Amino acid sequence: MKIIRLILMLGISFFIVSCGGDSNESAGWPASETSKMLSECMESPDSTKEMCDCAVEATVSEFTFEEYMMLQNTSTDTEISEEMQERGLNLMMAIMECAL
């Protein structure tokens, strides 16, 4: 289970930090945070604005900002619920689709 948790956290961290898009303050996401995510995503030579917008929309649709911050502050020893793991995998799949 620790391997799955590690893969999940690394995957979420990589995709969330490397991708961004429009703000969604109605879901509790500060505009400054989504702008930062967009900027970081656009720094990647393989990224497009469309792909980055898609990835951040997937992120803010799947997790609240508070959940995102909680996941960013977890370690491999932190217990993550099965429901959160499933949502993380859903997010990774959605972000992968953004890149297609």
Side-chain angles (χ1 to χ4, degrees), residues 4 32-34 39-40 42 54 77 89:
I4 292 172
S32 61
E33 187 65 33
T34 55
S39 295
E40 290 173 353
M42 293 302 295
C54 176
D77 295 329
L89 291 174

Side-chain angles (χ1 to χ4, degrees), residues 15-82:
F15 286 117
I16 288 176
V17 170
S18 68
C19 300
D22 297 328
S23 69
N24 188 355
E25 290 194 51
S26 63
W29 281 83
S32 61
E33 187 65 33
T34 55
S35 293
K36 176 182 167 188
M37 293 168 68
L38 177 61
S39 295
E40 290 173 353
C41 180
M42 293 302 295
E43 289 175 3
S44 172
D46 297 327
S47 296
T48 65
K49 183 161 182 351
E50 181 180 274
M51 182 183 77
C52 292
D53 286 341
C54 176
V56 83
E57 182 59 34
T59 302
V60 301
S61 295
E62 190 65 47
F63 293 104
T64 66
F65 184 67
E66 291 77 25
E67 290 171 330
Y68 163 79
M69 292 305 295
M70 183 271 302
L71 289 171
Q72 291 296 312
N73 294 318
T74 60
S75 69
T76 56
D77 295 329
T78 304
E79 190 65 35
I80 300 172
S81 72
E82 191 171 314

